[in-house]
Amino acid sequence: MDLSIIIPVYNESKAIAHNFSVIHETLFKDKISCQYFIVDDGSTDDTWQELNKLKIKYHNVSAIRFARNFGKEVAICAGLDHIRSERYLIMDSDLQHPPSCVKEMLLLMNKTKANIIDGVKQKRSKETLAYKLLAGSFYKVLKAATGLNMNHSSDFKLFDNKVADAIRRFSERNLFFRGLVDWIGFKTIPYQFNVQDRLEGTTRFSTMKLIKLALNAIVAHTSKPLYLTIVGGVFFLIFAIILGIQTLVNFFVGNAISGFSTVILLLLIIGSMIMLSLGIIGVYISRIYDEVKQRPRYIIADIIGNTEEDTVTKIINT
Ligand code: UDP
Ligand code: MG
């Protein structure tokens, strides 16, 4: 069975040795042979040293280290850029994606001949109220804007090389992996799993990172917010016409509206509408700017394992 497991890690030095041994032992017990590709997403702790130790202990581990934190989405893509196999599995390093499910996912893929086995969160892990509220409203906005129902979706996905090839064709800088896999299509079978509690530390996604990801998810998948500015404009035009007629009638009749309240209110409403619309347009322009610059998606600082050859071939080919 030709399977590659891509694991993005960020500041996991305390847990990675234990977590990896659990993943490895579980898959070994289930007689699943695979290679591991770990992407250190620019950790600022000793994660890279821990990965070096893992390489000595386990023969089937390769890893790369980013020069800085480029984000989980990019880390997953970097994994796909550097390895080739029949099947790929994306998995978190914190055991929240249970390794005991991998065997069932592989069997399901064999049975259904699906291209993607899509891990769907049946039971979410313990989350703070603020996180739940933020995530809940983000998923609602995302569904309304893009039609993507990501409420229970996860990055825990098993897919074949056709899907991997399709993902490799995307060169976007600001991407949302789950949305991208949904967008490309292919035969997808959901696989329900229970998200385990994080054993060590808390989520590596700060509120700022989550907001950025949420914005990316929307901007990368729809331009509806831009049309929303037109809808807002039309709405205020109608409002303006009605108010304009009423003001003119009042003027000619001889009883003009008194006081500044109306003027101030109108100014405030129109001002915020304009700022909001400019903001929306600005976000899209900044994304266009990001893409036009054609900067590399990530910079690699170090490599361990069998990936050097691939990297060299890639550089020659591009
Ligand atoms: N991660 C990453 N880069 C980041 C943040 C997280 O590679 O900028 C990794 C992290 O080490 C873990 C996985 O992505 O292996 C999921 O992160 P986390 O558990 O913090 O996210 P959550 O479970 O809250 O979605
Ligand atoms: Mg986690």
Side-chain angles (χ1 to χ4, degrees):
M1 197 178 296
D2 191 11
L3 172 71
S4 293
I5 300 185
I6 298 172
I7 307 176
V9 293
Y10 178 58
N11 288 349
E12 303 278 5
S13 65
K14 286 198 192 113
I16 188 68
H18 169 261
N19 291 355
F20 184 81
S21 70
V22 173
I23 296 173
H24 185 269
E25 273 158 34
T26 313
L27 298 202
F28 187 74
K29 198 176 84 250
D30 287 341
K31 298 190 178 58
I32 298 168
S33 72
C34 61
Q35 55 166 327
Y36 296 95
F37 192 83
I38 307 179
V39 183
D40 178 354
D41 186 8
S43 299
T44 48
D45 62 1
D46 292 334
T47 303
W48 186 245
Q49 281 81 337
E50 291 295 326
L51 294 182
N52 275 285
K53 286 185 208 157
L54 284 184
K55 175 65 198 165
I56 299 167
K57 204 164 163 197
Y58 305 97
H59 69 282
N60 52 349
V61 172
S62 310
I64 53 171
R65 179 162 71 98
F66 283 172
R68 66 166 171 86
N69 182 233
F70 282 90
K72 184 184 175 188
E73 320 293 303
V74 173
I76 295 171
C77 294
L80 288 174
D81 285 346
H82 285 83
I83 41 171
R84 295 289 178 272
S85 76
E86 286 298 312
R87 294 169 183 205
Y88 301 83
L89 177 78
I90 314 294
M91 192 184 222
D92 282 0
S93 68
D94 56 1
L95 298 181
Q96 289 198 284
H97 296 163
S100 52
C101 294
V102 178
K103 190 179 178 187
E104 275 181 47
M105 289 171 90
L106 286 165
L107 288 174
L108 190 64
M109 186 177 237
N110 286 343
K111 202 173 106 195
T112 57
K113 302 265 174 294
N115 300 93
I116 305 170
I117 301 296
D118 186 12
V120 178
K121 295 173 189 167
Q122 195 171 33
K123 179 187 135 287
R124 299 179 78 96
S125 65
K126 277 185 219 139
E127 285 161 353
T128 61
L129 186 70
Y131 184 92
K132 265 193 193 138
L133 284 177
L134 203 71
S137 39
F138 159 60
Y139 289 128
K140 277 204 187 98
V141 172
L142 189 69
K143 181 137 195 280
T146 65
L148 293 173
N149 189 0
M150 298 274 129
N151 200 358
H152 290 96
S153 76
S154 76
D155 290 325
F156 192 29
K157 294 183 197 297
L158 171 72
F159 48 84
D160 63 15
N161 54 8
K162 281 188 199 156
V163 176
D165 279 342
I167 297 172
R168 285 188 194 108
R169 289 175 58 198
F170 287 77
S171 61
E172 293 171 35
R173 266 103 201 117
N174 298 298
L175 46 86
F176 181 56
F177 183 72
R178 278 179 257 172
L180 195 142
V181 173
D182 186 275
W183 188 88
I184 56 172
F186 287 107
K187 184 175 178 185
T188 307
I189 301 285
Y191 172 82
Q192 308 262 351
F193 74 99
N194 289 330
V195 181
Q196 305 300 307
D197 289 336
R198 203 178 220 280
L199 294 179
E200 186 275 328
T202 50
T203 176
R204 300 301 188 253
F205 282 91
S206 60
T207 314
M208 210 48 223
K209 258 190 195 172
L210 279 178
I211 293 174
K212 231 178 120 191
L213 187 70
L215 209 65
N216 272 347
I218 295 173
V219 177
H221 289 276
T222 181
S223 44
K224 265 192 198 159
L226 283 175
Y227 295 100
L228 219 65
T229 60
I230 302 178
V231 175
V234 170
F235 177 77
F236 273 92
L237 184 69
I238 297 168
F239 181 63
I241 292 171
I242 297 170
L243 204 71
I245 293 172
Q246 193 218 18
T247 314
L248 279 178
V249 168
N250 276 340
F251 177 76
F252 286 117
V253 169
N255 46 2
I257 304 168
S258 63
F260 282 117
S261 325
T262 325
V263 181
I264 291 170
L265 271 179
L266 280 176
L267 265 177
L268 288 177
I269 295 172
I270 293 167
S272 41
M273 274 293 292
I274 292 174
M275 296 301 276
L276 196 72
S277 308
L278 278 180
I280 295 174
I281 298 168
V283 170
Y284 279 91
I285 292 179
S286 81
R287 295 306 137 107
I288 298 170
Y289 184 49
D290 276 350
E291 299 302 331
V292 173
K293 278 190 284 187
Q294 285 287 311
R295 286 193 182 172
R297 275 205 285 198
Y298 52 85
I299 305 287
I300 295 172
D302 272 309
I303 295 180
I304 15 174
N306 315 318
T307 63
E308 230 151 339
E309 241 173 52
D310 284 346
T311 319
V312 173
T313 336
K314 223 181 135 246
I315 291 166
I316 291 169
N317 287 342
T318 49

